[in-house]
Amino acid sequence: MNNNGLKDDILQEIESLRNEMTKSLCRILQFPAVSPHHGGQGEEAKAQEVLKIIKEQGLGEGAKLEWIRIPDEKSHTGNRPSLILYTPGKTQQRLWMFCHLDVVSAGDRTLWNTDPFNPVVKDGRVYARGANDNGHAAIAMIYALKALKNLNITPEYEICLGFVADEMMGSRYSIEPMIRKKIVNFSKDDMILIPDGGENTGSFIEIAEKGLLQMEFTVSGKQCHASTPEYGINACRVANIFSVILDETLHKTFPDKNELFSPEEYSTFEPTRRYINVVSANVIPGFEKLSFDCRVLPHVKLDDVIKIVKEVMENVMSQTGAQIEFSIAERDDPAPRTSPDSPIAKLLEKAISEVLNVKPRFGGCGIGTFSVFFRHEGIPTVVWQQNTSGLAQQPNEYAEIEHMTNNAKVFALVMAGG
């Protein structure tokens, strides 16, 4: 698309849809799409609302809608739903865009100024759980395509919009089996844009991600009364010792930096979750459970990290007499980076420059997105959206309406071929 007048028409059309986009965002944010593995109802109701919006905008006409339902015995429906909208273009080249429908729980409701699942529009923002991560991306995708339809513009590519489940817990019920079981036939010729992550200026295009290793440790000691600690093995103390030593050892063993990931240019090894052990303060716990979240640079092998973990475990067990077991909750080995010269990267770079008047920069980050699955398959994948940094999964999460509108503009230009 080289016609400047046509480009201006697209941008103006999306601007005219701003209020409608805001209302649609509020509609989908009313559905608490928390994983059934975390006590929620899953994505079904939210996915159905997305489908209603798609049909109301006439985007199902002349297009193909496909439900992909991955079995999940914990879900009240018996499955986890993903919805894909296929819209024909001028060519058979496919442009995929994926956003996730699931959200984390609201957490401590007392930290919220509003009901997290009753969206509030205030000062150019929409406040609700999932507004920032990843609701406004879903709406921007839909209305980018809607703008082209309103202007009778046929997309340059076949546009494949995916609204999928289970991103928050590793995509075991969505993208991962879609690829591994070939439920969807992706091709190395496909172009993939994932609206996730992002930062305030919209100038950052993510082309690489760190490897992800989430581990859970169980410390078994011997419970006793706190007044007679000599009769027990304090699992809480052992867990504290183990956590500190493991933290320090991993950072010392893997200190390398990579400027592609600036400012987080190093591997991170973070102790995170601690579980409830005993209910009384006068009881020495015989059981303790804790978690570590590790985001490692692409050149670091996760097997090497695990080797160090096991060595620290053995040393602490020999010193304390406690037993420590560990399991891997989630593992994503680093994938090859996407080239900044790939067609999708160049196409996105041009669209961002035209909409936001900034010079995009390419780099890596530590968050885990769908991109790792596609990069492992050799499919060029970029991650981008304009987004308010640091709000995902926080109390009083919000999305800037201006960001959502700008995202739709960029997506539309990419769909139209730049």
Side-chain angles (χ1 to χ4, degrees):
M1 183 186 69
N2 298 314
N3 188 317
N4 286 333
L6 193 58
K7 180 193 75 173
D8 291 340
D9 288 344
I10 292 174
L11 301 186
Q12 290 173 14
E13 181 63 24
I14 291 175
E15 195 63 42
S16 73
L17 295 170
R18 179 188 291 247
N19 290 339
E20 189 176 339
M21 292 171 64
T22 302
K23 292 178 182 178
S24 292
L25 176 59
C26 291
R27 284 173 59 179
I28 67 171
L29 294 177
Q30 296 178 66
F31 299 93
V34 176
S35 169
H37 294 258
H38 283 168
Q41 291 296 305
E43 304 87 356
E44 183 67 35
K46 190 172 185 178
Q48 292 291 348
E49 191 68 18
V50 168
L51 178 60
K52 287 181 184 178
I53 294 171
I54 288 172
K55 289 184 174 181
E56 288 169 2
Q57 303 307 320
L59 298 179
E61 301 169 7
K64 174 186 174 183
L65 284 161
E66 179 182 17
W67 284 103
I68 296 175
R69 298 182 180 276
I70 307 299
D72 182 357
E73 62 181 13
K74 286 188 175 294
S75 171
H76 73 285
T77 62
N79 63 72
R80 305 290 289 282
S82 294
L83 177 65
I84 302 179
L85 171 66
Y86 300 88
T87 301
K90 295 178 183 177
T91 69
Q92 294 184 339
Q93 170 83 55
R94 292 189 298 182
L95 170 64
W96 292 88
M97 296 180 65
F98 291 97
C99 70
H100 61 87
L101 298 178
D102 59 323
V103 302
V104 297
S105 67
D108 185 351
R109 297 286 184 107
T110 64
L111 299 178
W112 286 79
N113 297 327
T114 60
D115 183 335
F117 295 108
N118 184 16
V120 172
V121 180
K122 182 181 179 181
D123 299 329
R125 298 170 175 174
V126 178
Y127 288 84
R129 171 58 85 225
N132 178 283
D133 186 21
N134 190 225
H136 72 315
I139 297 303
M141 286 163 46
I142 292 171
Y143 280 85
L145 195 57
K146 168 67 172 175
L148 299 187
K149 180 179 177 63
N150 287 355
L151 296 169
N152 295 314
I153 297 173
T154 301
E156 184 69 20
Y157 320 100
E158 180 182 5
I159 307 301
C160 312
L161 303 184
F163 307 88
V164 302
D166 191 44
E167 191 265 359
M168 294 294 186
M169 294 188 66
S171 303
R172 290 173 295 173
Y173 301 98
S174 59
I175 296 294
E176 189 268 338
M178 287 184 201
I179 294 175
R180 178 173 51 83
K181 297 183 178 181
K182 299 188 183 302
I183 297 172
V184 177
N185 293 317
F186 296 106
S187 165
K188 286 183 170 58
D189 295 326
D190 290 344
M191 298 187 295
I192 298 180
L193 167 56
I194 297 173
D196 206 344
E199 42 82 79
N200 297 339
T201 67
S203 63
F204 178 69
I205 301 174
E206 187 255 274
I207 57 172
E209 290 181 8
K210 296 177 182 178
L212 170 64
L213 184 64
Q214 290 180 340
M215 299 174 288
E216 292 190 343
F217 300 91
T218 300
V219 179
S220 298
K222 184 179 179 182
Q223 183 173 312
C224 66
H225 196 279
S227 65
T228 55
E230 65 272 18
Y231 293 117
I233 299 176
N234 193 323
C236 180
R237 177 179 288 115
V238 175
N240 293 342
I241 293 170
F242 170 71
S243 179
V244 170
I245 294 176
L246 182 60
D247 186 348
E248 293 177 347
T249 303
L250 289 173
H251 281 98
K252 289 179 181 178
T253 307
F254 305 103
D256 295 353
K257 295 184 178 182
N258 184 330
E259 291 183 356
L260 182 68
F261 291 85
S262 179
E264 298 173 353
E265 70 272 18
Y266 47 85
S267 297
T268 60
F269 307 96
E270 294 298 312
T272 55
R273 181 169 48 185
R274 293 293 284 264
Y275 293 76
I276 295 174
N277 47 25
V278 292
V279 296
S280 299
N282 64 346
V283 177
I284 286 179
F287 172 88
E288 193 84 13
K289 192 172 181 180
L290 65 150
S291 300
F292 260 71
D293 181 290
C294 308
R295 312 288 170 128
V296 302
L297 294 173
H299 73 277
V300 177
K301 295 181 180 179
L302 297 188
D303 286 338
D304 290 342
V305 175
I306 293 171
K307 179 181 177 181
I308 297 299
V309 169
K310 290 181 177 179
E311 290 176 358
V312 173
M313 286 172 56
E314 290 294 332
N315 290 336
V316 173
M317 285 191 291
S318 66
Q319 293 172 17
T320 64
Q323 293 296 309
I324 305 176
E325 298 178 348
F326 96 108
S327 61
I328 296 174
E330 187 171 345
R331 174 175 178 165
D332 290 328
D333 289 84
R337 75 170 190 168
T338 297
S339 170
D341 294 321
S342 63
I344 183 59
K346 302 304 289 185
L347 190 62
L348 177 60
E349 181 182 25
K350 183 174 184 291
I352 294 169
S353 298
E354 292 182 343
V355 173
L356 300 178
N357 194 30
V358 296
K359 181 175 176 55
R361 58 185 176 87
F362 294 93
C365 70
I367 66 169
T369 70
F370 298 133
S371 66
V372 64
F373 299 103
F374 296 108
R375 289 183 182 134
H376 275 306
E377 297 297 311
I379 304 175
T381 305
V382 292
V383 179
W384 178 86
Q385 64 177 339
Q386 186 181 25
N387 197 19
T388 305
S389 304
L391 290 178
Q393 304 182 17
Q394 297 297 314
N396 301 306
E397 177 183 350
Y398 64 82
E400 297 278 359
I401 296 171
E402 181 72 16
H403 291 172
M404 177 174 62
T405 307
N406 288 340
N407 291 340
K409 291 175 180 178
V410 171
F411 299 159
L413 292 188
V414 171
M415 292 175 181

